[in-house]
Amino acid sequence: AAAPASADLPPGVSAFKRYTVVQDIDHAEHAPDSGVSLIKVAKEVLGGVKLGSDVTNINLPASVLDPVSSLEKAMKSMQRGEILLEIASAATPAERFAKVLKFVIAGYPKERFGKKPYNPILGEVFRAAFKHRGNAGTTMLFSEQVSHHPPISATHLHNPTLGISMNSHTQPEPHFWGNSLELRLGGIIRLALENYDEEYVITRPSMFLSGILGLGKQRIEFVGTSTITCTKTDLQAQIEFKSKGMFRGESNAVSGKISEIASGKPLFDISGVWDKVVTLTDLATKKDTELFNYDAAVRDQSMKVLLPPPEEREENNSLAVWERCSEAIWRGDSIAANAEKKRVEDAQRAIRKDREARGVEWKPAYFEPIVDGVGYSFKHHAIYRGKEVTTTKNVAVPSYDFKPSPEEIGVDLPAIPQPPTPLAGLRDLAPG
């Protein structure tokens, strides 16, 4: 649906500024189970696939899908988003580094086995707002599917009140290993603390789904190494996510160190279980400090997500693209869900074919590749109080004028201009 026009915006540009639909971040994961066994589906779909093969292009039925696009999964980074205030208020570089580490650990999702999100279509976008307590302002999120082959999603977060922004891109690579599926989470995260001119570059471990063919215990776990590097403060963390193993070990265990980059000198040990308690040990004093307590964070630092209302969702917004498919999944109608999923995918192919026939080069609406670098930067222009402002570095929209009243539910922000949708005509091309 088209958004209402605004006198503050140039002709032909729609204003998207209201975020009034309040939801739990994990809302989609409470959809009813289809009753179809993942083991049965895996044996049918992956039966002839060679070990180690990239299975990006394997098409799965709607019966094993959650009603949410993987583009929307970027919300999970804000599931304990109140930790951002701790980062902004930390007094020393070491304290800020520790709080960034805490925020990263808190963002790891506990997914339910046997379900996966939709694969976003090229040009799909997602927007959300997170309203913090007290005077910590509002964090905005923009995500976009910037590539289809290979699939790459770009995400931008910004909280001007706290002076924190984040740009990231994710290139998932699923590989089949018989009874397990490895999802390599390629790409990097760049988190910027604007008031300190510090940038933290973060990499992610892989995700493993074990027991997909019915052998052994079914579980999802992160396995491998994650790094956090801040060259300005000369600090780096290496965190090893350990596999439980069949007979020993603890699920979701982590270990690692925080070290000086230049000298390699280790300063802190990291140990614990990321969905229970993670502890820092000062190697000079041997003193233990609790870095992260999962239950306490869920209780004290969880956030709701605020979404745009239906009338202000772009045609290529995840919530609009997958609306019919999600409705079918929520009412337990797998046949209709498969039909709607096929409708979206057929429309995507038709749009791509039409674009190629006309010689039109597709470009992302919100992001652009970093020149001579890795990843994507947020390129958007903001209309703020009637004036166009060109963004720089990682900074998105300057100084949201947001002063909520006690009875306000939602967020009403200065207009965000939306370029013409790269999927214009989606509904016209899609049958039904």
Side-chain angles (χ1 to χ4, degrees), residues 159 230 274 420:
N159 184 311
C230 181
W274 68 260

Side-chain angles (χ1 to χ4, degrees), residues 44-60:
E44 291 175 353
V45 174
L46 301 173
V49 177
K50 294 181 180 179
L51 293 184
S53 295
D54 186 329
V55 291
T56 299
N57 295 323
I58 296 291
N59 197 8
L60 294 175

Side-chain angles (χ1 to χ4, degrees), residues 28 31-32 66-69 72 118 318-319 321-332 337 340-341:
D66 268 332
V68 62
S69 170
E72 299 171 63
Y118 308 126
S318 299
L319 301 172
V321 171
W322 300 104
E323 181 180 20
R324 297 183 193 175
C325 190
S326 293
E327 288 174 349
I329 291 175
W330 274 104
R331 65 175 182 264
E340 291 300 334
K341 177 174 175 286

Side-chain angles (χ1 to χ4, degrees), residues 161-358:
T161 303
L162 298 178
I164 296 177
S165 62
M166 186 182 83
N167 278 335
S168 70
H169 75 285
T170 304
Q171 183 176 336
E173 297 179 13
H175 290 263
F176 175 65
W177 296 107
N179 192 44
S180 65
L181 191 70
E182 177 192 10
L183 184 63
R184 299 172 188 171
L185 300 174
I188 59 173
I189 302 167
R190 300 179 187 272
L191 189 148
L193 306 186
E194 297 156 9
N195 297 331
Y196 301 98
D197 195 28
E198 295 172 359
E199 182 181 67
Y200 298 76
V201 179
I202 303 158
T203 64
R204 290 161 285 210
S206 295
M207 179 185 289
F208 271 82
L209 285 78
S210 302
I212 61 173
L213 297 182
L215 304 176
K217 186 176 180 180
Q218 296 177 336
R219 63 179 182 270
I220 300 177
E221 57 187 352
F222 291 96
V223 178
T225 302
S226 169
T227 61
I228 303 174
T229 305
C230 181
T231 56
K232 182 175 180 180
T233 61
D234 192 40
L235 293 174
Q236 183 180 64
Q238 277 203 321
I239 310 102
E240 190 71 23
F241 289 74
K242 302 176 183 179
S243 175
K244 181 182 184 301
M246 188 171 293
F247 302 109
R248 63 175 63 187
E250 185 170 10
S251 296
N252 301 328
V254 294
S255 65
K257 294 185 184 297
I258 298 176
S259 307
E260 293 178 348
I261 298 173
S263 68
K265 177 184 177 181
L267 304 176
F268 296 90
D269 273 342
I270 304 165
S271 61
V273 178
W274 68 260
D275 63 344
K276 292 182 181 177
V277 175
V278 177
T279 300
L280 286 184
T281 301
D282 188 322
L283 295 177
T285 65
K286 306 303 180 183
K287 179 183 178 182
D288 290 341
T289 302
E290 184 176 276
L291 172 71
F292 176 68
N293 184 304
Y294 182 88
D295 290 339
V298 170
R299 182 187 66 236
D300 300 330
Q301 296 173 309
S302 294
M303 300 194 76
K304 300 279 190 180
V305 63
L306 301 170
L307 303 170
E311 66 272 15
E312 289 200 11
R313 294 172 187 169
E314 307 93 320
E315 189 175 41
N316 54 321
N317 190 297
S318 299
L319 301 172
V321 171
W322 300 104
E323 181 180 20
R324 297 183 193 175
C325 190
S326 293
E327 288 174 349
I329 291 175
W330 274 104
R331 65 175 182 264
D333 189 342
S334 294
I335 294 176
N338 275 319
E340 291 300 334
K341 177 174 175 286
K342 184 177 184 301
R343 180 185 65 83
V344 172
E345 293 166 347
D346 287 347
Q348 164 79 348
R349 284 188 283 270
I351 291 168
R352 182 172 65 248
K353 185 177 180 180
D354 176 70
R355 189 168 54 239
E356 290 171 353
R358 293 184 291 113

